[in-house]
């Protein structure tokens, strides 16, 4: 789930980092999260972009509720128009319980489900493949190479017009 925040006042980077730290400390809970390398992880954060991680629908809704209360305490809210949900299926298909989930809510608004989204320049998708990222990076590489080549060709061309 990708989260964006809105706030009621203008925040500088210094104040923003202080407020975000309060939000993060209010969400961190060792009982809710995904086991990653032996650690329980329930949030990934960079500046004001956050990803909540939970192993079940109920756990994720609990994190959202906790986020809403914590952010509300410092006069912030989750921007539900920019917040999306994505479900990653387990690699072992026999462990899939259901394909349909109830809608998540934040600020009494339903959040939308997506198959992919871009987070910190990386495209995440529910198929857990890097194909979209590799295609995008390959396209950018070709664009940069063509730019360099065309720039060098125009510099080295000493043609006179008649």
């Amino acid at each position: 789930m990708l989260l964006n925040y809105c706030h009621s006042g203008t925040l500088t980077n210094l104040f923003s980092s202080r407020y975000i730290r309060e939000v993060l400390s209010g969400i961190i809970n060792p009982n809710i999260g995904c086991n990653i390398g032996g650690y329980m992880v329930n949030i990934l954060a960079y500046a004001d972009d956050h990803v909540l991680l939970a192993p079940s629908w109920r756990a994720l809704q609990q994190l959202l509720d906790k986020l809403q209360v914590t952010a509300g305490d410092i006069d912030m809210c989750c921007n539900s128009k920019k917040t999306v949900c994505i479900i990653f299926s387990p690699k072992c298909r026999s462990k899939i319980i259901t394909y349909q989930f109830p809608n998540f809510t934040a600020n009494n608004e339903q959040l939308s489900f997506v198959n992919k989204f871009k987070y910190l320049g990386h495209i995440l998708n529910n198929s857990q493949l890097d194909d979209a990222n590799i295609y995008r990076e390959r396209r950018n590489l070709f664009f940069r190479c063509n730019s360099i080549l065309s720039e060098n060709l125009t510099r080295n061309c000493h043609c006179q017009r008649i």
Side-chain angles (χ1 to χ4, degrees), residues 29 54 80 87 107 133-134:
N29 182 344
S80 56
I87 296 172
N107 301 328
N133 251 359
I134 292 169

Side-chain angles (χ1 to χ4, degrees), residues 19 25 75 109 159:
Y19 289 127
S25 64
D75 201 26
E109 294 184 37
C159 303

Side-chain angles (χ1 to χ4, degrees), residues 116-125 129-141:
K116 67 179 179 177
F117 66 90
K118 195 172 185 179
Y119 181 69
L120 302 179
H122 188 77
I123 299 171
L124 301 173
N125 61 36
L129 298 175
D130 265 348
D131 294 350
N133 251 359
I134 292 169
Y135 175 77
R136 182 177 56 85
E137 289 300 327
R138 188 182 313 149
R139 190 181 67 223
N140 288 339
L141 175 66

Side-chain angles (χ1 to χ4, degrees), residues 4-150:
N4 283 31
Y5 292 98
C6 60
H7 46 81
S8 59
T10 304
L11 298 176
T12 63
N13 288 339
L14 177 65
F15 290 121
S16 177
S17 65
R18 180 186 173 276
Y19 289 127
I20 297 303
R21 190 174 302 128
E22 282 187 43
V23 171
L24 293 177
S25 64
I27 295 173
I28 295 172
N29 182 344
N31 298 327
I32 300 174
C34 296
N35 185 345
I36 300 176
Y39 295 98
M40 290 302 282
V41 178
N42 64 3
I43 189 164
L44 304 175
Y46 181 81
D48 65 345
D49 289 328
H50 298 92
V51 174
L52 294 179
L53 302 170
S56 68
W57 179 91
R58 183 180 307 263
L60 187 54
Q61 188 61 58
Q62 286 175 344
L63 288 175
L64 280 168
D65 294 341
K66 198 172 206 181
L67 170 73
Q68 187 172 344
V69 169
T70 306
D73 289 344
I74 56 173
D75 201 26
M76 294 179 82
C77 65
C78 178
N79 187 342
S80 56
K81 292 181 181 31
K82 291 184 176 181
T83 302
V84 295
C85 304
I86 189 167
I87 296 172
F88 297 100
S89 298
K91 289 183 180 180
C92 181
R93 297 279 183 210
S94 65
K95 293 183 180 180
I96 296 175
I97 297 170
T98 183
Y99 290 99
Q100 297 293 324
F101 293 90
N103 287 323
F104 293 101
T105 58
N107 301 328
N108 297 322
E109 294 184 37
Q110 289 186 355
L111 303 178
S112 60
F113 283 91
V114 295
N115 293 325
K116 67 179 179 177
F117 66 90
K118 195 172 185 179
Y119 181 69
L120 302 179
H122 188 77
I123 299 171
L124 301 173
N125 61 36
N126 60 357
S127 66
Q128 300 181 29
L129 298 175
D130 265 348
D131 294 350
N133 251 359
I134 292 169
Y135 175 77
R136 182 177 56 85
E137 289 300 327
R138 188 182 313 149
R139 190 181 67 223
N140 288 339
L141 175 66
F142 287 140
F143 175 77
R144 288 184 200 115
C145 288
N146 284 335
S147 296
I148 291 169
L149 288 174
S150 66

